[in-house]
Amino acid sequence: MTADLQAASDVLTRQDLLRYYRVMRTVREFEERLHIEFATGEIPGFVHLYAGEEAIAAGVCANLRDDDYIASTHRGHGHAIAKGCDVRGMMAEIYGKATGICRGKGGSMHIADLAVGMLGANGIVGGGPPLVCGVGLKARVTGTDQVAVSFTGDGGSNQGTFLESLNLAAVWNLPTIFVVENNGYAEATSPMFHQAGIEIAKRADGFGLPGAVVDGHDFFAVYEATREAVERARSGGGPSLIECKVLRYYGHFEGDQQTYRDPDEVPDARANKDCLLLFERRVTGDGLVGADELRAIDGEIATLIDEAVAEAKRAPEPALDAVLADVYVSY
């Protein structure tokens, strides 16, 4: 048993392990099905898939309570599912239907559900970190022990908003965690063309914050790094930066021809680094759960996604007179 798995198994029950496998499997099936359905032309707008990065969303959100907050990116389906957003409502939202989680007006890049602390996916690159500074400040001022987490891509980590948020969180000692999902491509650009320095996590040193680099394919590595950061934030220790190195299985957006990638990169990652395979090998190899239990979950999730797609296709379009609803708020 490895150190990460040993540490995690000291606090995670068998039911916990099954729950987090279910989260990762749900995200994977959701994304793989969207890859197929988008090609039919029935889904409006842009779709950016998260497949391959599931261990990050699951490992981070496993440490959060329902009243904690997350702010996501344009690649936000995995974060939303891991934080507890309704899968059927998400599918309907992506189809632009009235039964969607944002009544069909948000689409793939703007899924939000404040009831579960999901502040929103965000089409603005680097838009999430300032949001978590806001809710982090609210938690500190009101005296709660809530924690706020932002997810940002490697390209987004070069935005001024990201660095300004690290500074502000450090100055105000906010209960915030900045997670960078470094999948190796800022849209289609290699880090050698846009990233100064070897590790994004090293930028934490300049603001006096703890910074960590973990394997983003490894649920247990992500879980342990986040557990430490969340405990620090809840106890008044302030913000942290976690860089998760990972590969995405699809292009920047659906339809991206990915001519910038080695054709062997994704097949190799699926065969040797896939987070679901790594998770299964470790928990079954150490006798923590049975392979038959994981297959049962696979079947349940397949049924759930089939039903979610069918319901989304049958659902009505938003009414025209609802266009301006929820746009303006009175105080």
Side-chain angles (χ1 to χ4, degrees), residues 29-31 33-34 37 43 86-97 100-101 111 305 308-310 312-313:
E29 292 303 317
F30 192 92
E31 299 292 76
R33 186 63 177 269
L34 276 184
E37 298 294 336
I43 295 176
D86 177 64
V87 169
R88 297 171 192 266
M90 285 180 57
M91 190 65 79
E93 184 62 36
I94 292 170
Y95 271 84
K97 298 301 182 69
I101 205 166
I111 289 175
I305 300 301
V309 170
K313 290 184 176 183

mmCIF file with all atom_site columns, all heavy atoms in Angstrom, residues 29-31 33-34 37 43 86-97 100-101 111 305 308-310 312-313:
data_model
loop_
_atom_site.group_PDB
_atom_site.id
_atom_site.type_symbol
_atom_site.label_atom_id
_atom_site.label_alt_id
_atom_site.label_comp_id
_atom_site.label_asym_id
_atom_site.label_entity_id
_atom_site.label_seq_id
_atom_site.pdbx_PDB_ins_code
_atom_site.Cartn_x
_atom_site.Cartn_y
_atom_site.Cartn_z
_atom_site.occupancy
_atom_site.B_iso_or_equiv
_atom_site.pdbx_formal_charge
_atom_site.auth_seq_id
_atom_site.auth_comp_id
_atom_site.auth_asym_id
_atom_site.auth_atom_id
_atom_site.pdbx_PDB_model_num
ATOM 1   N N   . GLU A 1 29  ? -18.661 9.128  -17.736 1.00 0.00 ? 29  GLU A N   1
ATOM 2   C CA  . GLU A 1 29  ? -19.761 8.727  -18.618 1.00 0.00 ? 29  GLU A CA  1
ATOM 3   C C   . GLU A 1 29  ? -20.494 9.943  -19.167 1.00 0.00 ? 29  GLU A C   1
ATOM 4   O O   . GLU A 1 29  ? -20.929 9.947  -20.334 1.00 0.00 ? 29  GLU A O   1
ATOM 5   C CB  . GLU A 1 29  ? -20.727 7.812  -17.865 1.00 0.00 ? 29  GLU A CB  1
ATOM 6   C CG  . GLU A 1 29  ? -20.134 6.453  -17.518 1.00 0.00 ? 29  GLU A CG  1
ATOM 7   C CD  . GLU A 1 29  ? -19.651 5.697  -18.742 1.00 0.00 ? 29  GLU A CD  1
ATOM 8   O OE1 . GLU A 1 29  ? -20.361 5.683  -19.765 1.00 0.00 ? 29  GLU A OE1 1
ATOM 9   O OE2 . GLU A 1 29  ? -18.529 5.144  -18.688 1.00 0.00 ? 29  GLU A OE2 1
ATOM 10  N N   . PHE A 1 30  ? -20.636 10.970 -18.332 1.00 0.00 ? 30  PHE A N   1
ATOM 11  C CA  . PHE A 1 30  ? -21.275 12.215 -18.776 1.00 0.00 ? 30  PHE A CA  1
ATOM 12  C C   . PHE A 1 30  ? -20.500 12.799 -19.944 1.00 0.00 ? 30  PHE A C   1
ATOM 13  O O   . PHE A 1 30  ? -21.082 13.181 -20.975 1.00 0.00 ? 30  PHE A O   1
ATOM 14  C CB  . PHE A 1 30  ? -21.293 13.188 -17.591 1.00 0.00 ? 30  PHE A CB  1
ATOM 15  C CG  . PHE A 1 30  ? -22.147 14.412 -17.775 1.00 0.00 ? 30  PHE A CG  1
ATOM 16  C CD1 . PHE A 1 30  ? -23.477 14.421 -17.365 1.00 0.00 ? 30  PHE A CD1 1
ATOM 17  C CD2 . PHE A 1 30  ? -21.627 15.562 -18.332 1.00 0.00 ? 30  PHE A CD2 1
ATOM 18  C CE1 . PHE A 1 30  ? -24.271 15.552 -17.527 1.00 0.00 ? 30  PHE A CE1 1
ATOM 19  C CE2 . PHE A 1 30  ? -22.406 16.692 -18.492 1.00 0.00 ? 30  PHE A CE2 1
ATOM 20  C CZ  . PHE A 1 30  ? -23.730 16.696 -18.089 1.00 0.00 ? 30  PHE A CZ  1
ATOM 21  N N   . GLU A 1 31  ? -19.177 12.866 -19.816 1.00 0.00 ? 31  GLU A N   1
ATOM 22  C CA  . GLU A 1 31  ? -18.347 13.473 -20.844 1.00 0.00 ? 31  GLU A CA  1
ATOM 23  C C   . GLU A 1 31  ? -18.261 12.618 -22.102 1.00 0.00 ? 31  GLU A C   1
ATOM 24  O O   . GLU A 1 31  ? -18.317 13.140 -23.224 1.00 0.00 ? 31  GLU A O   1
ATOM 25  C CB  . GLU A 1 31  ? -16.940 13.712 -20.283 1.00 0.00 ? 31  GLU A CB  1
ATOM 26  C CG  . GLU A 1 31  ? -16.907 14.657 -19.092 1.00 0.00 ? 31  GLU A CG  1
ATOM 27  C CD  . GLU A 1 31  ? -17.257 16.083 -19.449 1.00 0.00 ? 31  GLU A CD  1
ATOM 28  O OE1 . GLU A 1 31  ? -18.452 16.360 -19.653 1.00 0.00 ? 31  GLU A OE1 1
ATOM 29  O OE2 . GLU A 1 31  ? -16.346 16.915 -19.528 1.00 0.00 ? 31  GLU A OE2 1
ATOM 30  N N   . ARG A 1 33  ? -20.432 10.567 -23.203 1.00 0.00 ? 33  ARG A N   1
ATOM 31  C CA  . ARG A 1 33  ? -21.718 10.630 -23.902 1.00 0.00 ? 33  ARG A CA  1
ATOM 32  C C   . ARG A 1 33  ? -21.903 11.971 -24.613 1.00 0.00 ? 33  ARG A C   1
ATOM 33  O O   . ARG A 1 33  ? -22.424 12.023 -25.734 1.00 0.00 ? 33  ARG A O   1
ATOM 34  C CB  . ARG A 1 33  ? -22.852 10.394 -22.903 1.00 0.00 ? 33  ARG A CB  1
ATOM 35  C CG  . ARG A 1 33  ? -24.220 10.291 -23.551 1.00 0.00 ? 33  ARG A CG  1
ATOM 36  C CD  . ARG A 1 33  ? -24.303 9.091  -24.503 1.00 0.00 ? 33  ARG A CD  1
ATOM 37  N NE  . ARG A 1 33  ? -25.619 8.961  -25.072 1.00 0.00 ? 33  ARG A NE  1
ATOM 38  C CZ  . ARG A 1 33  ? -26.587 8.221  -24.526 1.00 0.00 ? 33  ARG A CZ  1
ATOM 39  N NH1 . ARG A 1 33  ? -26.348 7.539  -23.412 1.00 0.00 ? 33  ARG A NH1 1
ATOM 40  N NH2 . ARG A 1 33  ? -27.759 8.140  -25.087 1.00 0.00 ? 33  ARG A NH2 1
ATOM 41  N N   . LEU A 1 34  ? -21.450 13.052 -23.976 1.00 0.00 ? 34  LEU A N   1
ATOM 42  C CA  . LEU A 1 34  ? -21.528 14.357 -24.631 1.00 0.00 ? 34  LEU A CA  1
ATOM 43  C C   . LEU A 1 34  ? -20.682 14.393 -25.893 1.00 0.00 ? 34  LEU A C   1
ATOM 44  O O   . LEU A 1 34  ? -21.056 15.035 -26.888 1.00 0.00 ? 34  LEU A O   1
ATOM 45  C CB  . LEU A 1 34  ? -21.062 15.460 -23.674 1.00 0.00 ? 34  LEU A CB  1
ATOM 46  C CG  . LEU A 1 34  ? -22.085 16.009 -22.683 1.00 0.00 ? 34  LEU A CG  1
ATOM 47  C CD1 . LEU A 1 34  ? -21.473 17.158 -21.887 1.00 0.00 ? 34  LEU A CD1 1
ATOM 48  C CD2 . LEU A 1 34  ? -23.351 16.471 -23.375 1.00 0.00 ? 34  LEU A CD2 1
ATOM 49  N N   . GLU A 1 37  ? -22.951 12.792 -28.407 1.00 0.00 ? 37  GLU A N   1
ATOM 50  C CA  . GLU A 1 37  ? -24.172 13.543 -28.699 1.00 0.00 ? 37  GLU A CA  1
ATOM 51  C C   . GLU A 1 37  ? -23.885 14.875 -29.389 1.00 0.00 ? 37  GLU A C   1
ATOM 52  O O   . GLU A 1 37  ? -24.683 15.325 -30.220 1.00 0.00 ? 37  GLU A O   1
ATOM 53  C CB  . GLU A 1 37  ? -24.966 13.776 -27.403 1.00 0.00 ? 37  GLU A CB  1
ATOM 54  C CG  . GLU A 1 37  ? -25.432 12.506 -26.713 1.00 0.00 ? 37  GLU A CG  1
ATOM 55  C CD  . GLU A 1 37  ? -26.452 11.735 -27.542 1.00 0.00 ? 37  GLU A CD  1
ATOM 56  O OE1 . GLU A 1 37  ? -27.121 12.351 -28.395 1.00 0.00 ? 37  GLU A OE1 1
ATOM 57  O OE2 . GLU A 1 37  ? -26.571 10.508 -27.326 1.00 0.00 ? 37  GLU A OE2 1
ATOM 58  N N   . ILE A 1 43  ? -26.841 19.709 -29.819 1.00 0.00 ? 43  ILE A N   1
ATOM 59  C CA  . ILE A 1 43  ? -26.435 20.499 -28.646 1.00 0.00 ? 43  ILE A CA  1
ATOM 60  C C   . ILE A 1 43  ? -25.930 21.858 -29.130 1.00 0.00 ? 43  ILE A C   1
ATOM 61  O O   . ILE A 1 43  ? -25.004 21.919 -29.941 1.00 0.00 ? 43  ILE A O   1
ATOM 62  C CB  . ILE A 1 43  ? -25.340 19.763 -27.852 1.00 0.00 ? 43  ILE A CB  1
ATOM 63  C CG1 . ILE A 1 43  ? -25.903 18.470 -27.263 1.00 0.00 ? 43  ILE A CG1 1
ATOM 64  C CG2 . ILE A 1 43  ? -24.772 20.662 -26.763 1.00 0.00 ? 43  ILE A CG2 1
ATOM 65  C CD1 . ILE A 1 43  ? -24.874 17.620 -26.552 1.00 0.00 ? 43  ILE A CD1 1
ATOM 66  N N   . ASP A 1 86  ? -27.131 18.469 -9.893  1.00 0.00 ? 86  ASP A N   1
ATOM 67  C CA  . ASP A 1 86  ? -27.968 17.396 -10.419 1.00 0.00 ? 86  ASP A CA  1
ATOM 68  C C   . ASP A 1 86  ? -27.570 17.052 -11.857 1.00 0.00 ? 86  ASP A C   1
ATOM 69  O O   . ASP A 1 86  ? -27.560 17.936 -12.728 1.00 0.00 ? 86  ASP A O   1
ATOM 70  C CB  . ASP A 1 86  ? -29.437 17.829 -10.374 1.00 0.00 ? 86  ASP A CB  1
ATOM 71  C CG  . ASP A 1 86  ? -30.352 16.779 -10.967 1.00 0.00 ? 86  ASP A CG  1
ATOM 72  O OD1 . ASP A 1 86  ? -30.426 15.681 -10.413 1.00 0.00 ? 86  ASP A OD1 1
ATOM 73  O OD2 . ASP A 1 86  ? -30.966 17.063 -12.021 1.00 0.00 ? 86  ASP A OD2 1
ATOM 74  N N   . VAL A 1 87  ? -27.284 15.787 -12.099 1.00 0.00 ? 87  VAL A N   1
ATOM 75  C CA  . VAL A 1 87  ? -26.797 15.357 -13.411 1.00 0.00 ? 87  VAL A CA  1
ATOM 76  C C   . VAL A 1 87  ? -27.864 15.529 -14.494 1.00 0.00 ? 87  VAL A C   1
ATOM 77  O O   . VAL A 1 87  ? -27.582 15.979 -15.604 1.00 0.00 ? 87  VAL A O   1
ATOM 78  C CB  . VAL A 1 87  ? -26.320 13.894 -13.333 1.00 0.00 ? 87  VAL A CB  1
ATOM 79  C CG1 . VAL A 1 87  ? -26.052 13.334 -14.723 1.00 0.00 ? 87  VAL A CG1 1
ATOM 80  C CG2 . VAL A 1 87  ? -25.069 13.795 -12.465 1.00 0.00 ? 87  VAL A CG2 1
ATOM 81  N N   . ARG A 1 88  ? -29.100 15.184 -14.162 1.00 0.00 ? 88  ARG A N   1
ATOM 82  C CA  . ARG A 1 88  ? -30.174 15.322 -15.163 1.00 0.00 ? 88  ARG A CA  1
ATOM 83  C C   . ARG A 1 88  ? -30.386 16.802 -15.509 1.00 0.00 ? 88  ARG A C   1
ATOM 84  O O   . ARG A 1 88  ? -30.587 17.155 -16.680 1.00 0.00 ? 88  ARG A O   1
ATOM 85  C CB  . ARG A 1 88  ? -31.465 14.714 -14.618 1.00 0.00 ? 88  ARG A CB  1
ATOM 86  C CG  . ARG A 1 88  ? -31.354 13.211 -14.361 1.00 0.00 ? 88  ARG A CG  1
ATOM 87  C CD  . ARG A 1 88  ? -32.595 12.705 -13.626 1.00 0.00 ? 88  ARG A CD  1
ATOM 88  N NE  . ARG A 1 88  ? -32.421 11.359 -13.110 1.00 0.00 ? 88  ARG A NE  1
ATOM 89  C CZ  . ARG A 1 88  ? -32.790 10.258 -13.741 1.00 0.00 ? 88  ARG A CZ  1
ATOM 90  N NH1 . ARG A 1 88  ? -33.370 10.354 -14.913 1.00 0.00 ? 88  ARG A NH1 1
ATOM 91  N NH2 . ARG A 1 88  ? -32.579 9.067  -13.202 1.00 0.00 ? 88  ARG A NH2 1
ATOM 92  N N   . GLY A 1 89  ? -30.357 17.660 -14.503 1.00 0.00 ? 89  GLY A N   1
ATOM 93  C CA  . GLY A 1 89  ? -30.505 19.088 -14.744 1.00 0.00 ? 89  GLY A CA  1
ATOM 94  C C   . GLY A 1 89  ? -29.351 19.644 -15.556 1.00 0.00 ? 89  GLY A C   1
ATOM 95  O O   . GLY A 1 89  ? -29.540 20.539 -16.398 1.00 0.00 ? 89  GLY A O   1
ATOM 96  N N   . MET A 1 90  ? -28.143 19.119 -15.326 1.00 0.00 ? 90  MET A N   1
ATOM 97  C CA  . MET A 1 90  ? -26.978 19.573 -16.099 1.00 0.00 ? 90  MET A CA  1
ATOM 98  C C   . MET A 1 90  ? -27.111 19.183 -17.567 1.00 0.00 ? 90  MET A C   1
ATOM 99  O O   . MET A 1 90  ? -26.816 19.968 -18.466 1.00 0.00 ? 90  MET A O   1
ATOM 100 C CB  . MET A 1 90  ? -25.699 18.969 -15.513 1.00 0.00 ? 90  MET A CB  1
ATOM 101 C CG  . MET A 1 90  ? -25.229 19.598 -14.222 1.00 0.00 ? 90  MET A CG  1
ATOM 102 S SD  . MET A 1 90  ? -23.718 18.824 -13.610 1.00 0.00 ? 90  MET A SD  1
ATOM 103 C CE  . MET A 1 90  ? -22.615 19.028 -14.995 1.00 0.00 ? 90  MET A CE  1
ATOM 104 N N   . MET A 1 91  ? -27.556 17.947 -17.811 1.00 0.00 ? 91  MET A N   1
ATOM 105 C CA  . MET A 1 91  ? -27.684 17.499 -19.199 1.00 0.00 ? 91  MET A CA  1
ATOM 106 C C   . MET A 1 91  ? -28.724 18.348 -19.922 1.00 0.00 ? 91  MET A C   1
ATOM 107 O O   . MET A 1 91  ? -28.517 18.782 -21.076 1.00 0.00 ? 91  MET A O   1
ATOM 108 C CB  . MET A 1 91  ? -28.063 16.023 -19.243 1.00 0.00 ? 91  MET A CB  1
ATOM 109 C CG  . MET A 1 91  ? -28.000 15.396 -20.625 1.00 0.00 ? 91  MET A CG  1
ATOM 110 S SD  . MET A 1 91  ? -26.309 15.336 -21.297 1.00 0.00 ? 91  MET A SD  1
ATOM 111 C CE  . MET A 1 91  ? -25.639 13.881 -20.424 1.00 0.00 ? 91  MET A CE  1
ATOM 112 N N   . ALA A 1 92  ? -29.853 18.610 -19.255 1.00 0.00 ? 92  ALA A N   1
ATOM 113 C CA  . ALA A 1 92  ? -30.883 19.441 -19.866 1.00 0.00 ? 92  ALA A CA  1
ATOM 114 C C   . ALA A 1 92  ? -30.359 20.853 -20.115 1.00 0.00 ? 92  ALA A C   1
ATOM 115 O O   . ALA A 1 92  ? -30.703 21.486 -21.128 1.00 0.00 ? 92  ALA A O   1
ATOM 116 C CB  . ALA A 1 92  ? -32.119 19.476 -18.970 1.00 0.00 ? 92  ALA A CB  1
ATOM 117 N N   . GLU A 1 93  ? -29.545 21.353 -19.208 1.00 0.00 ? 93  GLU A N   1
ATOM 118 C CA  . GLU A 1 93  ? -28.975 22.688 -19.389 1.00 0.00 ? 93  GLU A CA  1
ATOM 119 C C   . GLU A 1 93  ? -28.099 22.745 -20.636 1.00 0.00 ? 93  GLU A C   1
ATOM 120 O O   . GLU A 1 93  ? -28.145 23.703 -21.415 1.00 0.00 ? 93  GLU A O   1
ATOM 121 C CB  . GLU A 1 93  ? -28.143 23.065 -18.151 1.00 0.00 ? 93  GLU A CB  1
ATOM 122 C CG  . GLU A 1 93  ? -27.577 24.468 -18.193 1.00 0.00 ? 93  GLU A CG  1
ATOM 123 C CD  . GLU A 1 93  ? -28.676 25.514 -18.233 1.00 0.00 ? 93  GLU A CD  1
ATOM 124 O OE1 . GLU A 1 93  ? -29.720 25.318 -17.597 1.00 0.00 ? 93  GLU A OE1 1
ATOM 125 O OE2 . GLU A 1 93  ? -28.489 26.523 -18.941 1.00 0.00 ? 93  GLU A OE2 1
ATOM 126 N N   . ILE A 1 94  ? -27.291 21.726 -20.822 1.00 0.00 ? 94  ILE A N   1
ATOM 127 C CA  . ILE A 1 94  ? -26.394 21.707 -21.978 1.00 0.00 ? 94  ILE A CA  1
ATOM 128 C C   . ILE A 1 94  ? -27.192 21.616 -23.285 1.00 0.00 ? 94  ILE A C   1
ATOM 129 O O   . ILE A 1 94  ? -26.773 22.146 -24.312 1.00 0.00 ? 94  ILE A O   1
ATOM 130 C CB  . ILE A 1 94  ? -25.379 20.554 -21.822 1.00 0.00 ? 94  ILE A CB  1
ATOM 131 C CG1 . ILE A 1 94  ? -24.432 20.884 -20.663 1.00 0.00 ? 94  ILE A CG1 1
ATOM 132 C CG2 . ILE A 1 94  ? -24.593 20.315 -23.107 1.00 0.00 ? 94  ILE A CG2 1
ATOM 133 C CD1 . ILE A 1 94  ? -23.543 19.748 -20.226 1.00 0.00 ? 94  ILE A CD1 1
ATOM 134 N N   . TYR A 1 95  ? -28.348 20.967 -23.211 1.00 0.00 ? 95  TYR A N   1
ATOM 135 C CA  . TYR A 1 95  ? -29.232 20.921 -24.388 1.00 0.00 ? 95  TYR A CA  1
ATOM 136 C C   . TYR A 1 95  ? -30.045 22.210 -24.536 1.00 0.00 ? 95  TYR A C   1
ATOM 137 O O   . TYR A 1 95  ? -30.816 22.359 -25.479 1.00 0.00 ? 95  TYR A O   1
ATOM 138 C CB  . TYR A 1 95  ? -30.182 19.724 -24.289 1.00 0.00 ? 95  TYR A CB  1
ATOM 139 C CG  . TYR A 1 95  ? -29.619 18.455 -24.891 1.00 0.00 ? 95  TYR A CG  1
ATOM 140 C CD1 . TYR A 1 95  ? -28.782 17.633 -24.156 1.00 0.00 ? 95  TYR A CD1 1
ATOM 141 C CD2 . TYR A 1 95  ? -29.915 18.085 -26.194 1.00 0.00 ? 95  TYR A CD2 1
ATOM 142 C CE1 . TYR A 1 95  ? -28.258 16.469 -24.699 1.00 0.00 ? 95  TYR A CE1 1
ATOM 143 C CE2 . TYR A 1 95  ? -29.411 16.920 -26.749 1.00 0.00 ? 95  TYR A CE2 1
ATOM 144 C CZ  . TYR A 1 95  ? -28.571 16.115 -25.996 1.00 0.00 ? 95  TYR A CZ  1
ATOM 145 O OH  . TYR A 1 95  ? -28.058 14.965 -26.547 1.00 0.00 ? 95  TYR A OH  1
ATOM 146 N N   . GLY A 1 96  ? -29.886 23.146 -23.585 1.00 0.00 ? 96  GLY A N   1
ATOM 147 C CA  . GLY A 1 96  ? -30.590 24.422 -23.672 1.00 0.00 ? 96  GLY A CA  1
ATOM 148 C C   . GLY A 1 96  ? -32.071 24.332 -23.380 1.00 0.00 ? 96  GLY A C   1
ATOM 149 O O   . GLY A 1 96  ? -32.862 25.116 -23.917 1.00 0.00 ? 96  GLY A O   1
ATOM 150 N N   . LYS A 1 97  ? -32.474 23.406 -22.513 1.00 0.00 ? 97  LYS A N   1
ATOM 151 C CA  . LYS A 1 97  ? -33.891 23.173 -22.252 1.00 0.00 ? 97  LYS A CA  1
ATOM 152 C C   . LYS A 1 97  ? -34.369 23.862 -20.966 1.00 0.00 ? 97  LYS A C   1
ATOM 153 O O   . LYS A 1 97  ? -33.567 24.163 -20.071 1.00 0.00 ? 97  LYS A O   1
ATOM 154 C CB  . LYS A 1 97  ? -34.149 21.665 -22.150 1.00 0.00 ? 97  LYS A CB  1
ATOM 155 C CG  . LYS A 1 97  ? -33.827 20.927 -23.451 1.00 0.00 ? 97  LYS A CG  1
ATOM 156 C CD  . LYS A 1 97  ? -34.658 21.447 -24.621 1.00 0.00 ? 97  LYS A CD  1
ATOM 157 C CE  . LYS A 1 97  ? -34.412 20.704 -25.927 1.00 0.00 ? 97  LYS A CE  1
ATOM 158 N NZ  . LYS A 1 97  ? -34.900 19.349 -25.912 1.00 0.00 ? 97  LYS A NZ  1
ATOM 159 N N   . GLY A 1 100 ? -33.395 22.730 -17.493 1.00 0.00 ? 100 GLY A N   1
ATOM 160 C CA  . GLY A 1 100 ? -31.978 22.776 -17.140 1.00 0.00 ? 100 GLY A CA  1
ATOM 161 C C   . GLY A 1 100 ? -31.732 23.440 -15.800 1.00 0.00 ? 100 GLY A C   1
ATOM 162 O O   . GLY A 1 100 ? -32.576 24.179 -15.281 1.00 0.00 ? 100 GLY A O   1
ATOM 163 N N   . ILE A 1 101 ? -30.567 23.194 -15.279 1.00 0.00 ? 101 ILE A N   1
ATOM 164 C CA  . ILE A 1 101 ? -30.236 23.663 -13.936 1.00 0.00 ? 101 ILE A CA  1
ATOM 165 C C   . ILE A 1 101 ? -30.212 25.195 -13.879 1.00 0.00 ? 101 ILE A C   1
ATOM 166 O O   . ILE A 1 101 ? -30.387 25.782 -12.822 1.00 0.00 ? 101 ILE A O   1
ATOM 167 C CB  . ILE A 1 101 ? -28.885 23.044 -13.514 1.00 0.00 ? 101 ILE A CB  1
ATOM 168 C CG1 . ILE A 1 101 ? -28.755 22.970 -12.000 1.00 0.00 ? 101 ILE A CG1 1
ATOM 169 C CG2 . ILE A 1 101 ? -27.711 23.753 -14.141 1.00 0.00 ? 101 ILE A CG2 1
ATOM 170 C CD1 . ILE A 1 101 ? -27.616 22.064 -11.542 1.00 0.00 ? 101 ILE A CD1 1
ATOM 171 N N   . ILE A 1 111 ? -22.904 26.715 -16.087 1.00 0.00 ? 111 ILE A N   1
ATOM 172 C CA  . ILE A 1 111 ? -23.693 25.932 -15.135 1.00 0.00 ? 111 ILE A CA  1
ATOM 173 C C   . ILE A 1 111 ? -23.381 26.399 -13.721 1.00 0.00 ? 111 ILE A C   1
ATOM 174 O O   . ILE A 1 111 ? -22.221 26.486 -13.321 1.00 0.00 ? 111 ILE A O   1
ATOM 175 C CB  . ILE A 1 111 ? -23.386 24.436 -15.291 1.00 0.00 ? 111 ILE A CB  1
ATOM 176 C CG1 . ILE A 1 111 ? -23.981 23.924 -16.606 1.00 0.00 ? 111 ILE A CG1 1
ATOM 177 C CG2 . ILE A 1 111 ? -23.923 23.640 -14.105 1.00 0.00 ? 111 ILE A CG2 1
ATOM 178 C CD1 . ILE A 1 111 ? -23.627 22.483 -16.927 1.00 0.00 ? 111 ILE A CD1 1
ATOM 179 N N   . ILE A 1 305 ? -27.089 8.097  -17.167 1.00 0.00 ? 305 ILE A N   1
ATOM 180 C CA  . ILE A 1 305 ? -26.748 8.974  -18.294 1.00 0.00 ? 305 ILE A CA  1
ATOM 181 C C   . ILE A 1 305 ? -27.707 8.751  -19.465 1.00 0.00 ? 305 ILE A C   1
ATOM 182 O O   . ILE A 1 305 ? -28.134 9.708  -20.122 1.00 0.00 ? 305 ILE A O   1
ATOM 183 C CB  . ILE A 1 305 ? -25.283 8.750  -18.721 1.00 0.00 ? 305 ILE A CB  1
ATOM 184 C CG1 . ILE A 1 305 ? -24.334 9.071  -17.544 1.00 0.00 ? 305 ILE A CG1 1
ATOM 185 C CG2 . ILE A 1 305 ? -24.949 9.605  -19.936 1.00 0.00 ? 305 ILE A CG2 1
ATOM 186 C CD1 . ILE A 1 305 ? -24.432 10.473 -17.009 1.00 0.00 ? 305 ILE A CD1 1
ATOM 187 N N   . ALA A 1 308 ? -30.792 10.603 -18.539 1.00 0.00 ? 308 ALA A N   1
ATOM 188 C CA  . ALA A 1 308 ? -30.588 12.061 -18.557 1.00 0.00 ? 308 ALA A CA  1
ATOM 189 C C   . ALA A 1 308 ? -30.621 12.598 -19.986 1.00 0.00 ? 308 ALA A C   1
ATOM 190 O O   . ALA A 1 308 ? -31.214 13.654 -20.248 1.00 0.00 ? 308 ALA A O   1
ATOM 191 C CB  . ALA A 1 308 ? -29.256 12.408 -17.882 1.00 0.00 ? 308 ALA A CB  1
ATOM 192 N N   . VAL A 1 309 ? -30.006 11.877 -20.907 1.00 0.00 ? 309 VAL A N   1
ATOM 193 C CA  . VAL A 1 309 ? -30.000 12.311 -22.312 1.00 0.00 ? 309 VAL A CA  1
ATOM 194 C C   . VAL A 1 309 ? -31.413 12.238 -22.888 1.00 0.00 ? 309 VAL A C   1
ATOM 195 O O   . VAL A 1 309 ? -31.877 13.179 -23.565 1.00 0.00 ? 309 VAL A O   1
ATOM 196 C CB  . VAL A 1 309 ? -29.029 11.449 -23.141 1.00 0.00 ? 309 VAL A CB  1
ATOM 197 C CG1 . VAL A 1 309 ? -29.193 11.736 -24.633 1.00 0.00 ? 309 VAL A CG1 1
ATOM 198 C CG2 . VAL A 1 309 ? -27.588 11.708 -22.710 1.00 0.00 ? 309 VAL A CG2 1
ATOM 199 N N   . ALA A 1 310 ? -32.117 11.151 -22.625 1.00 0.00 ? 310 ALA A N   1
ATOM 200 C CA  . ALA A 1 310 ? -33.479 11.002 -23.155 1.00 0.00 ? 310 ALA A CA  1
ATOM 201 C C   . ALA A 1 310 ? -34.394 12.089 -22.614 1.00 0.00 ? 310 ALA A C   1
ATOM 202 O O   . ALA A 1 310 ? -35.187 12.688 -23.360 1.00 0.00 ? 310 ALA A O   1
ATOM 203 C CB  . ALA A 1 310 ? -34.022 9.613  -22.798 1.00 0.00 ? 310 ALA A CB  1
ATOM 204 N N   . ALA A 1 312 ? -33.502 15.042 -21.489 1.00 0.00 ? 312 ALA A N   1
ATOM 205 C CA  . ALA A 1 312 ? -33.089 16.341 -22.036 1.00 0.00 ? 312 ALA A CA  1
ATOM 206 C C   . ALA A 1 312 ? -33.645 16.538 -23.442 1.00 0.00 ? 312 ALA A C   1
ATOM 207 O O   . ALA A 1 312 ? -34.114 17.628 -23.797 1.00 0.00 ? 312 ALA A O   1
ATOM 208 C CB  . ALA A 1 312 ? -31.563 16.438 -22.038 1.00 0.00 ? 312 ALA A CB  1
ATOM 209 N N   . LYS A 1 313 ? -33.623 15.485 -24.249 1.00 0.00 ? 313 LYS A N   1
ATOM 210 C CA  . LYS A 1 313 ? -34.126 15.606 -25.625 1.00 0.00 ? 313 LYS A CA  1
ATOM 211 C C   . LYS A 1 313 ? -35.631 15.832 -25.658 1.00 0.00 ? 313 LYS A C   1
ATOM 212 O O   . LYS A 1 313 ? -36.138 16.514 -26.553 1.00 0.00 ? 313 LYS A O   1
ATOM 213 C CB  . LYS A 1 313 ? -33.751 14.354 -26.421 1.00 0.00 ? 313 LYS A CB  1
ATOM 214 C CG  . LYS A 1 313 ? -32.256 14.241 -26.704 1.00 0.00 ? 313 LYS A CG  1
ATOM 215 C CD  . LYS A 1 313 ? -31.941 13.037 -27.578 1.00 0.00 ? 313 LYS A CD  1
ATOM 216 C CE  . LYS A 1 313 ? -30.461 13.002 -27.937 1.00 0.00 ? 313 LYS A CE  1
ATOM 217 N NZ  . LYS A 1 313 ? -30.111 11.894 -28.841 1.00 0.00 ? 313 LYS A NZ  1
#
